[in-house]
Amino acid sequence: MVKIAPSILAADFLNLQKAVDIVNNNADIFHIDVMDGSFVPNISFGFPVVEAIASVAKKPIDVHLMIVNPEKYALKFAAVPGVGMVSFHLEACSNPVQLLDAIRATGVMAGLTINPDVPVENLFPYLDHCDHIMIMSVYAGYGGQKFIEDSYGRIECLKAELQRRGLNIPIEIDGGVNKENARRIVEAGADILVAGSFVFRSEDPKAAIEAIR
Ligand code: DX5
Ligand code: ZN
């Protein structure tokens, strides 16, 4: 069954408890975007916010690192109790195998992700070391962008390769997900849908999550 991972980036930061309750009660995973102002132009938040959410989260936390030198911080995020998944960008890492294996060794799911301009095939050498793969369907850096239509084909291509190799690991899709495109995204092969604006900018976040589901 598809899993819904609301992105906290779109939440009301003056009322994070409300966003946490929405995810705890209606969704499956907390998606938390960590941006450093170098790998992406934007800066979001870091350890204090992840730890605060983790302290009250009843669902696993998925940390999406949009940072240069992810090897410097990935294991520190993996060590926060409540964090279940950590992903970093292939574009940002010089030795993905080493970092994926190190994250895995902590018992946290290790994920690799790519921006829309990186060929999906670039992920293939690393699939054996991944517990999940994330395809960006917008350019990393900001919430509220439009889903890039090429992403369906990219998911299909990755899914076909995973099946060919007998690898049963979830595909996560991140960016511009809404109730209009969710079905087609899942039909293409995605297992985890990240959704920020569509959930938290909606009048009724619970209904928005159910609409995607
Ligand atoms: C983009 C982030 C996404 C983003 C998704 O850099 O990685 O997780 O918050 O938000 P929406 O659903 O608004 O595109
Ligand atoms: Zn993200």
Side-chain angles (χ1 to χ4, degrees):
M1 211 174 67
V2 67
K3 291 189 171 166
I4 313 295
S7 171
I8 296 299
L9 191 63
D12 175 2
F13 294 155
L14 290 178
N15 202 345
L16 269 185
Q17 181 70 56
K18 191 173 160 201
V20 168
D21 291 342
I22 288 165
V23 179
N24 275 341
N25 295 329
N26 306 286
D28 306 293
I29 295 168
F30 286 86
H31 184 87
I32 304 193
D33 292 304
V34 176
M35 305 180 183
D36 67 351
S38 291
F39 179 69
V40 290
N42 199 8
I43 297 177
S44 57
F45 33 64
F47 290 105
V49 173
V50 173
E51 285 163 352
I53 293 173
S55 71
V56 285
K58 295 188 190 129
K59 302 288 164 78
I61 291 174
D62 167 29
V63 176
H64 174 193
L65 296 177
M66 283 162 273
I67 63 175
V68 296
N69 301 322
E71 45 285 301
K72 197 168 164 190
Y73 295 106
L75 297 183
K76 290 189 193 170
F77 281 105
V80 175
V83 170
M85 305 162 75
V86 172
S87 64
F88 61 91
H89 277 257
L90 179 60
E91 308 93 291
C93 188
S94 52
N95 193 338
V97 169
Q98 194 176 38
L99 186 53
L100 288 163
D101 288 351
I103 295 169
R104 260 189 172 175
T106 71
V108 164
M109 288 172 69
L112 204 51
T113 183
I114 49 171
N115 262 316
D117 59 349
V118 177
V120 176
E121 292 78 7
N122 290 16
L123 291 167
F124 291 179
Y126 309 106
L127 297 180
D128 290 320
H129 298 267
C130 293
D131 298 306
H132 62 290
I133 307 279
M134 194 161 79
I135 300 286
M136 293 303 300
S137 39
V138 300
Y139 282 90
Y142 298 93
Q145 301 179 74
K146 193 175 176 307
F147 183 87
I148 297 174
E149 297 284 316
D150 281 359
S151 308
Y152 300 115
R154 290 163 62 76
I155 299 167
E156 283 163 3
C157 174
L158 174 59
K159 184 78 178 181
E161 177 68 8
L162 291 174
Q163 281 175 341
R164 191 183 71 75
R165 287 164 56 173
L167 290 171
N168 188 22
I169 58 179
I171 299 176
E172 182 170 5
I173 187 92
D174 185 9
V177 174
N178 58 41
K179 74 172 185 330
E180 259 59 69
N181 56 23
R183 180 182 297 276
R184 194 161 161 209
I185 292 168
V186 171
E187 282 168 1
D191 306 281
I192 302 171
L193 308 185
V194 176
S197 313
F198 187 73
V199 170
F200 289 116
R201 300 289 155 92
S202 131
E203 290 277 303
D204 184 348
K206 179 180 180 198
I209 290 167
E210 289 319 311
I212 296 172
R213 212 189 275 290

